[in-house]
Amino acid sequence: MNKKLDRRKKYTRMVLKDSLINLLKTNPISAITVKEICKKADINRSTFYTHYSDQFHLLEQIEEEIIADLNSYLNQYNFEQEEEALQMTEKLLEYVVSKYDICQTLLNENADHSFERRVMDVARTFLIKNWMSNNEVDPDISEYASTFVTSGSIYVIKHWLANNMDQSPKQIARLINRVEITG
């Protein structure tokens, strides 16, 4: 009996998440209501409130899952040397490819910018650590330099997603790393 409830709970959360993601493709989060999410998911509003407090809470949970999954994916690899920066960037882009629909939606103009900031934090952790240690950057400006490099990388990724990933992850990784290394 407990397994059945678990599956039902997982299914409910999945359809609610999918419904919100579909609505985010055309509407900003501030314009989406719980009623719309429930209608699209064919779920009762009371069921929605059993799992989430509002649409912002649901979006936050989606973002947290993606960020945790991204961190877990990237932590599988050991990127300590400068020549591994390209591989790390490529792995990050391969992850984006594997989650294309949700990443494109969460990084589009209708999305809340919190996901973008969270991705920047992950990128800063994995990309900048290597870049900062291999470039002579004044510690007083390192935070500014890392923000500059990371935000530029995120916007390259957003542009790439908007163009339906018209280049391979390897090509985009080379571009990002070339800019980071010469920046």
Side-chain angles (χ1 to χ4, degrees), residues 36-71:
E36 287 176 296
I37 297 167
C38 292
K39 183 178 180 184
K40 189 155 197 70
D42 197 23
I43 300 284
N44 233 318
R45 277 181 29 174
S46 60
T47 303
F48 177 94
Y49 289 116
T50 301
H51 300 278
Y52 307 102
S53 56
D54 58 22
Q55 67 274 34
F56 299 101
H57 181 223
L58 173 55
L59 178 59
E60 182 182 318
Q61 292 300 305
I62 293 169
E63 291 175 358
E64 282 182 21
E65 285 177 19
I66 293 292
I67 295 299
D69 191 41
L70 176 59
N71 273 313

Side-chain angles (χ1 to χ4, degrees), residues 27-157:
N27 303 299
I29 185 70
S30 58
I32 298 172
T33 64
V34 170
K35 185 177 180 180
E36 287 176 296
I37 297 167
C38 292
K39 183 178 180 184
K40 189 155 197 70
D42 197 23
I43 300 284
N44 233 318
R45 277 181 29 174
S46 60
T47 303
F48 177 94
Y49 289 116
T50 301
H51 300 278
Y52 307 102
S53 56
D54 58 22
Q55 67 274 34
F56 299 101
H57 181 223
L58 173 55
L59 178 59
E60 182 182 318
Q61 292 300 305
I62 293 169
E63 291 175 358
E64 282 182 21
E65 285 177 19
I66 293 292
I67 295 299
D69 191 41
L70 176 59
N71 273 313
S72 176
Y73 176 77
L74 293 175
N75 278 321
Q76 296 176 63
Y77 305 98
N78 185 15
F79 305 106
E80 304 241 342
Q81 315 240 328
E82 183 176 352
E83 55 272 5
E84 293 172 335
L86 179 63
Q87 293 172 333
M88 206 298 303
T89 306
E90 195 174 339
K91 290 295 179 196
L92 177 101
L93 294 169
E94 286 172 1
Y95 179 84
V96 169
V97 168
S98 75
K99 305 284 185 184
Y100 171 75
D101 193 45
I102 196 163
C103 286
Q104 182 184 42
T105 302
L106 292 176
L107 290 170
N108 78 16
E109 69 277 351
N110 288 323
D112 179 17
H113 292 287
S114 66
F115 183 69
E116 188 175 309
R117 284 188 296 276
R118 293 169 98 174
V119 171
M120 283 180 65
D121 289 342
V122 171
R124 184 176 290 119
T125 301
F126 287 94
L127 297 173
I128 300 304
K129 179 179 18 171
N130 195 356
W131 181 78
M132 296 299 283
S133 65
N134 291 306
N135 291 281
E136 289 185 31
V137 178
D138 182 340
D140 293 334
I141 64 164
S142 63
E143 182 181 335
Y144 294 104
S146 69
T147 299
F148 176 77
V149 171
T150 307
S151 60
S153 299
I154 295 299
Y155 278 90
V156 166
I157 293 169

Side-chain angles (χ1 to χ4, degrees), residues 151-169:
S151 60
S153 299
I154 295 299
Y155 278 90
V156 166
I157 293 169
K158 287 174 71 167
H159 186 73
W160 180 58
L161 287 168
N163 286 327
N164 295 313
M165 299 178 304
D166 58 347
Q167 304 288 316
S168 72

